[in-house]
Amino acid sequence: KWTNRNRVLVFSSRGISYRGRHLMNDLRKLMPHSKSESKMDRKDQLFVINEICEMKNCSKCVYFEAKKKEDLYMWMSNCPRGPSVKFLVENVHTMSELKMTGNCLRGSRPLLSFDQDFDKEPHWKLLKELIIQIFGTPNHHPKSQPFVDHVYTFSITDNRVWFRNYQILEEDGSLAEIGPRFVLNPIKMFDGSFGGTTLYQNPKYVSPNEIRRMYRSRGAQKYVHRLNAKKSYEIRRGTGDNTYKSDPTDEVFVTIRPEDAEGRDKNTFFRNT
């Protein structure tokens, strides 16, 4: 009865953070048809993953790539012919971190719920089919349970894919979130597996390095504005006695009342008694 023999290889590169490692382990628990592999060296080329999938007898792959020990990227690929998609993983919250009230049987088959926006553009349709083949547990899989008690929701908001996992509580459709949570920001879609011709490139994508550079430049601009304001104040205030050019003949027409005279100016006034 087990006709769909899709297996998904889920592993990561070296240097991955603890949050990314916990997310990877959560996905392995959610997908009974997944297989694990030791961490891959970052110096190796990505096309080596196709050979690893062939040795593990896997037709799909989810690969977590860590860069600079703070940026997490996810690859979804159909090995060995493609297509493949590269994402930037944002807003990661693992199961142990959230501690939601929902719970489900380990190894049970999920329902996949997609937003209507997945059917509007070609690249979203391609991504939808790839997600179905990766996250959908094959029927009659030896490690799966013949129950459907949770649902994966994939929604598109702000040009990103938002993932949520809910437990089905009652037959009326009431849900309780289980976790994990994460957001996938698509970067590129390739014709081949981990490379090849670019099918789609996100025009709104901004790399984390560029965002950090903008924050640093914004902080540097505050310092530059403060120096410019200080220099402008010194120019306006001036230094020394001659703060500005004055005409000495202007004082000729300045008259002093007798009541206001002080010092030698009193000798210039004569009162009639």
Side-chain angles (χ1 to χ4, degrees):
K1 295 182 179 180
W2 181 27
T3 57
N4 181 15
R5 293 180 177 269
N6 277 335
R7 300 178 183 88
V8 182
L9 181 64
V10 182
F11 73 118
S12 67
S13 66
R14 295 195 178 276
I16 190 172
S17 63
Y18 75 96
R19 192 184 298 272
R21 186 178 68 255
H22 282 255
L23 175 63
M24 179 182 63
N25 292 331
D26 289 343
L27 291 182
R28 287 176 179 172
K29 294 176 183 178
L30 293 177
M31 296 189 294
H33 60 294
S34 64
K35 286 191 174 183
S36 61
E37 176 63 17
S38 60
K39 295 179 182 179
M40 192 179 74
D41 196 350
R42 288 180 292 181
K43 297 180 181 179
D44 295 339
Q45 299 295 328
L46 292 178
F47 62 83
V48 179
I49 300 177
N50 295 325
E51 300 178 3
I52 299 175
C53 291
E54 185 178 358
M55 290 186 295
K56 286 286 185 177
N57 197 18
C58 295
S59 58
K60 304 292 186 293
C61 180
V62 176
Y63 175 65
F64 290 92
E65 185 180 8
K67 292 185 178 180
K68 294 188 176 180
K69 296 183 179 181
E70 54 183 343
D71 300 331
L72 182 63
Y73 297 89
M74 177 193 286
W75 285 84
M76 291 185 187
S77 176
N78 181 25
C79 302
R81 297 183 178 180
S84 59
V85 187
K86 183 180 181 180
F87 302 94
L88 174 65
V89 185
E90 302 173 339
N91 300 333
V92 177
H93 299 281
T94 60
M95 284 185 180
S96 59
E97 178 184 357
L98 292 174
K99 296 183 180 180
M100 294 290 186
T101 57
N103 193 10
C104 65
L105 181 65
R106 183 166 183 174
S108 60
R109 302 181 66 221
L111 294 176
L112 301 182
S113 174
F114 290 91
D115 192 359
Q116 295 180 355
D117 294 337
F118 276 96
D119 298 327
K120 292 183 179 180
E121 297 186 17
H123 64 278
W124 292 126
K125 291 181 181 179
L126 175 64
L127 180 59
K128 177 181 178 180
E129 182 62 29
L130 187 61
I131 290 175
I132 290 174
Q133 296 183 15
I134 290 178
F135 286 91
T137 303
N139 193 13
H140 300 292
H141 190 278
K143 293 184 179 180
S144 65
Q145 301 291 337
F147 301 101
V148 178
D149 59 352
H150 62 289
V151 54
Y152 299 155
T153 61
F154 299 91
S155 57
I156 298 176
T157 304
D158 194 18
N159 204 34
R160 291 170 171 83
V161 180
W162 297 63
F163 174 85
R164 294 292 185 272
N165 180 22
Y166 296 97
Q167 177 194 2
I168 303 174
L169 296 178
E170 301 292 341
E171 294 181 358
D172 58 356
S174 58
L175 302 175
E177 188 173 356
I178 303 173
R181 292 178 177 180
F182 57 89
V183 180
L184 300 177
N185 188 2
I187 303 173
K188 281 186 179 182
M189 295 184 181
F190 299 96
D191 184 18
S193 178
F194 297 97
T197 306
T198 302
L199 300 178
Y200 169 76
Q201 184 172 359
N202 189 1
K204 298 181 180 180
Y205 171 72
V206 182
S207 65
N209 292 330
E210 184 67 19
I211 295 176
R212 286 190 288 267
R213 189 195 65 82
M214 292 170 59
Y215 276 115
R216 288 195 299 267
S217 63
R218 187 180 302 176
Q221 285 296 327
K222 293 182 180 179
Y223 176 71
V224 173
H225 291 331
R226 188 162 66 248
L227 288 182
N228 292 336
K230 184 178 180 181
K231 188 181 297 184
S232 176
Y233 171 72
E234 291 178 352
I235 293 174
R236 294 195 309 270
R237 184 187 64 179
T239 56
D241 297 334
N242 299 326
T243 57
Y244 57 90
K245 294 182 180 180
S246 59
D247 188 0
T249 60
D250 291 341
E251 298 180 357
V252 175
F253 302 99
V254 176
T255 57
I256 303 175
R257 297 184 304 171
E259 295 81 2
D260 299 333
E262 296 179 357
R264 295 182 180 181
D265 294 336
K266 293 182 179 180
N267 299 330
T268 59
F269 297 99
F270 302 94
R271 295 182 180 275
N272 293 326
T273 56

